[in-house]
Amino acid sequence: MSELNNVLQRTFVREFYRLNAMFFLIIIGVAFGFMRDTEHKAIAAFITSSPVWTLVPTVLWSLYGFKICSFNDQVCKTKEMNFIHGLSLLPISTQLLSALRVAFNQFLPAIAYGSFLIATAVKNNIISSVISLIAVILIQLSVITYLLYRQIEFTHVEARVSFLKDWSDKNFQKSFTQFFTEWLARSQPGMLVTIKIFACVMIFAVCQLYRYDDYDYRLLAMGSLVAFATNLVFTSQFILFENHIFSMMRNLPLPMSKRIFYFFLSMLALCLPELILLTRNFPRQLHIYQLLAIVLFGFSIFLLGYSALLRKNNGLEELSGTIFLSFIALIILILFSIPLLLISAIVLLLALYRLPKNFYEFELLNEKAK
């Protein structure tokens, strides 16, 4: 039993946190780098003041749970995990217990913050919020456990193409950007939805702060940096798609300028929700050129990430520490009022200088291509 649990922990839990290291580092940086303990306590007190406000963490935990279930489903469908199908021969109680341990460890960040909210509600003697939070956590954990149990039991499922997709494939010519975005939506739906909602909520929340106080461009620049840095995960997926899933693209005799154009077009398609939200809610007290500077700043970060990830066999998880330090350095530059256009120009020049060499020297390892 212990050997089985060790295998499942390595396969599901460690791999989940490894692949999402950048996401958790950004969350930790935002939560503990820019907020004091008094602010955390004030937010917790507000959330637990009424069972209605506990819907806020409930929605976020549901998105996180969806991300976990999507990851578990992908793992169960890989060829390397065919042996998991044999676990269905074990007693049902053993299967459920093993799935519960995996689900608990994957859902642990939400459980930890939920415990903090529950402790706050108990301190303020708000029993209704305590019951609501405990019920939400138990329900979420039960759903993740049950779905993992079902995914392990039914590993082999026949892939089917819907009528709508079959019709569109036959009647419309697709670009490289469409190929990439559709593949990303099918292969990583949990990651895509979670990151999009997090980035959009971040931009919307920062823009709303300008209605209640007089801030300069730096607050929006930092909020946009968090949103764009979260989207760096798509850059690593673009490299995987370009070099392994759709490797024909790499072998075509395309100039580097055209490859960069395809990359920017793909990132633009993925970041349309954030850009639309930023444009519609752009603070009136800021100048329009600052909006253009923020957008250029975000896409310069994408290009630098693309260039850095193309260094010999570097994955996002291997560079997570460097990316986090770069994120803090950019925050410091923004706080010191260094012009965004100047930062963007330096970042773009650095990326363009290294990109051709890194691209032609890049080799995707088999382990990374899986």
Side-chain angles (χ1 to χ4, degrees):
M1 186 67 181
S2 60
E3 289 78 8
L4 170 63
N5 289 326
N6 288 335
V7 171
L8 293 178
Q9 294 298 317
R10 289 196 208 98
T11 306
F12 289 96
V13 179
R14 294 183 186 178
E15 191 67 10
F16 174 76
Y17 285 111
R18 185 181 71 86
L19 294 177
N20 294 281
M22 185 62 190
F23 175 76
F24 287 110
L25 281 175
I26 291 176
I27 296 295
I28 293 172
V30 172
F32 299 102
F34 305 100
M35 296 177 65
R36 295 169 294 182
D37 57 343
T38 54
E39 294 169 336
H40 283 289
K41 292 177 181 178
I43 292 174
F46 172 74
I47 292 175
T48 58
S49 61
S50 170
V52 175
W53 293 115
T54 59
L55 292 175
V56 175
T58 298
V59 172
L60 296 178
W61 293 339
S62 298
L63 293 172
Y64 182 60
F66 177 71
K67 182 181 180 68
I68 292 172
C69 294
S70 176
F71 170 81
N72 292 341
D73 183 59
Q74 293 166 27
V75 171
C76 291
K77 288 180 179 178
T78 57
K79 296 179 181 179
E80 296 80 5
M81 295 299 295
N82 284 340
F83 72 92
I84 273 214
H85 186 62
L87 299 180
S88 59
L89 301 176
L90 295 173
I92 295 179
S93 58
T94 302
Q95 297 179 54
L96 288 174
L97 183 60
S98 300
L100 176 61
R101 289 176 177 171
V102 171
F104 179 85
N105 289 328
Q106 289 178 323
F107 201 60
L108 191 58
I111 295 175
Y113 190 71
S115 301
F116 170 63
L117 293 179
I118 291 171
T120 303
V122 170
K123 181 180 178 181
N124 296 327
N125 198 27
I126 307 175
I127 305 302
S128 56
S129 294
V130 173
I131 297 174
S132 175
L133 289 168
I134 293 176
V136 167
I137 292 174
L138 291 178
I139 291 172
Q140 297 266 9
L141 191 58
S142 300
V143 170
I144 296 172
T145 301
Y146 178 73
L147 290 178
L148 178 58
Y149 161 72
R150 299 289 290 180
Q151 289 158 354
I152 290 175
E153 187 175 5
F154 299 101
T155 304
H156 304 286
V157 179
E158 181 182 359
R160 296 182 180 181
V161 179
S162 65
F163 170 78
L164 182 61
K165 186 179 186 307
D166 183 60
W167 177 80
S168 64
D169 289 343
K170 290 179 180 178
N171 293 278
F172 296 97
Q173 183 178 4
K174 295 183 179 181
S175 65
F176 175 78
T177 300
Q178 288 175 287
F179 278 120
F180 170 64
T181 52
E182 287 186 12
W183 168 80
L184 184 64
R186 289 196 304 268
S187 62
Q188 302 284 351
M191 178 185 71
L192 180 63
V193 172
T194 305
I195 288 176
K196 290 292 98 181
I197 292 179
F198 173 80
C200 288
V201 169
M202 173 61 67
I203 289 177
F204 179 77
V206 171
C207 288
Q208 295 307 304
L209 290 175
Y210 282 84
R211 293 186 175 185
Y212 305 102
D213 207 341
D214 187 21
Y215 297 102
D216 59 16
Y217 77 95
R218 292 179 295 175
L219 177 63
L220 184 57
M222 289 188 290
S224 300
L225 174 60
V226 173
F228 287 125
T230 308
N231 281 277
L232 275 177
V233 177
F234 300 139
T235 302
S236 66
Q237 295 298 312
F238 182 89
I239 292 174
L240 176 62
F241 183 79
E242 182 183 35
N243 291 274
H244 176 64
I245 305 299
F246 198 70
S247 56
M248 179 185 70
M249 186 69 182
R250 181 178 177 86
N251 298 324
L252 291 176
L254 297 175
M256 185 57 61
S257 58
K258 200 163 189 177
R259 295 185 185 276
I260 295 175
F261 174 75
Y262 285 142
F263 171 74
F264 274 131
L265 205 59
S266 299
M267 294 300 108
L268 176 62
L270 289 171
C271 292
L272 270 180
E274 290 92 325
L275 295 177
I276 293 173
L277 202 63
L278 181 61
T279 303
R280 290 181 62 87
N281 295 276
F282 190 72
R284 295 181 179 179
Q285 57 263 49
L286 300 182
H287 297 286
I288 190 65
Y289 78 87
Q290 292 174 323
L291 171 62
L292 300 176
I294 288 173
V295 173
L296 178 62
F297 175 58
F299 280 88
S300 68
I301 293 172
F302 288 148
L303 189 62
L304 182 62
Y306 182 51
S307 176
L309 290 169
L310 280 173
R311 293 177 62 188
K312 296 181 181 179
N313 303 315
N314 272 329
L316 190 64
E317 59 277 1
E318 284 81 8
L319 288 176
S320 58
T322 303
I323 293 174
F324 182 70
L325 292 176
S326 301
F327 171 80
I328 298 300
L330 289 173
I331 288 290
I332 294 174
L333 291 176
I334 293 173
L335 289 174
F336 276 92
S337 300
I338 305 298
L340 281 183
L341 289 177
L342 177 60
I343 299 176
S344 302
I346 295 174
V347 171
L348 283 173
L349 289 175
L350 181 61
L352 291 173
Y353 173 74
R354 295 295 305 174
L355 184 58
K357 184 175 184 296
N358 290 349
F359 180 83
Y360 291 113
E361 290 183 354
F362 181 74
E363 181 181 356
L364 191 69
L365 290 177
N366 291 332
E367 291 79 0
K368 187 180 177 180
K370 290 178 181 178

